[in-house]
Amino acid sequence: MALALREAHAAERVDEVPIGAIVVLDGRLLSRAHNLTRTRCDPTAHAEVLALSKAARKLGAQRLPGAVVYTTVEPCFMCAGALSHARVARVVWAVRDPKFGGCASLGNVLSDPRLNHRAQITEGVCAAEARALLQGFFRKKRGRSVEE
């Protein structure tokens, strides 16, 4: 999770929502990414999707069975769908996302028994640091918008 948090800090430095993700397989780091939705003008450029894409290209396969994804925020429905399609084994996140979370907060995409693939989930890892990073980012944003 420390590497995912580093990615989240990298996102913040380029004025992106500070979310980072990494993909690990057999104890080996396959990829890392952070949000780039604003930079790329792309609503799909979420940290999890970017990290999955890099990992899949690195392996030359669309599926990542056995992979573990660490992300600083609960994946949204889009990211949860991508994680499911990639067949990752486990997803670990720091904090829930009560407005967009598709894995526990608003839905259960990764554990829905109707789907043909389910991933193990673990939440709360390094939650205090991830929460503080997000809260600080949005405080600065609200402060700027009030002053402008």
Side-chain angles (χ1 to χ4, degrees), residues 18-64:
I19 299 173
I22 66 166
V23 179
V24 175
L25 180 63
D26 298 328
R28 181 175 63 117
L29 177 68
L30 287 181
S31 64
R32 57 173 67 200
H34 56 269
N35 271 14
L36 289 173
T37 58
R38 295 170 183 194
T39 302
R40 293 187 179 180
C41 297
D42 180 354
T44 68
H46 288 200
E48 299 92 336
V49 170
L50 296 173
L52 284 174
S53 293
K54 288 178 185 179
R57 281 193 306 275
K58 188 172 190 173
L59 292 179
Q62 70 180 35
R63 307 278 191 232
L64 303 169

Side-chain angles (χ1 to χ4, degrees), residues 41-126:
C41 297
D42 180 354
T44 68
H46 288 200
E48 299 92 336
V49 170
L50 296 173
L52 284 174
S53 293
K54 288 178 185 179
R57 281 193 306 275
K58 188 172 190 173
L59 292 179
Q62 70 180 35
R63 307 278 191 232
L64 303 169
V68 179
V69 175
Y70 296 84
T71 181
T72 56
V73 177
E74 174 189 359
C76 70
F77 283 92
M78 175 185 70
C79 293
L83 292 160
S84 180
H85 281 291
R87 305 295 194 264
V88 300
R90 184 171 168 225
V91 179
V92 180
W93 70 80
V95 295
R96 284 193 180 195
D97 184 345
K99 294 183 179 180
F100 292 101
C103 303
S105 296
L106 298 176
N108 298 297
V109 173
L110 295 177
S111 57
D112 191 310
R114 296 170 294 178
L115 299 176
N116 64 341
H117 176 75
R118 284 169 290 291
Q120 294 176 341
I121 59 172
T122 304
E123 63 177 291
V125 178
C126 298

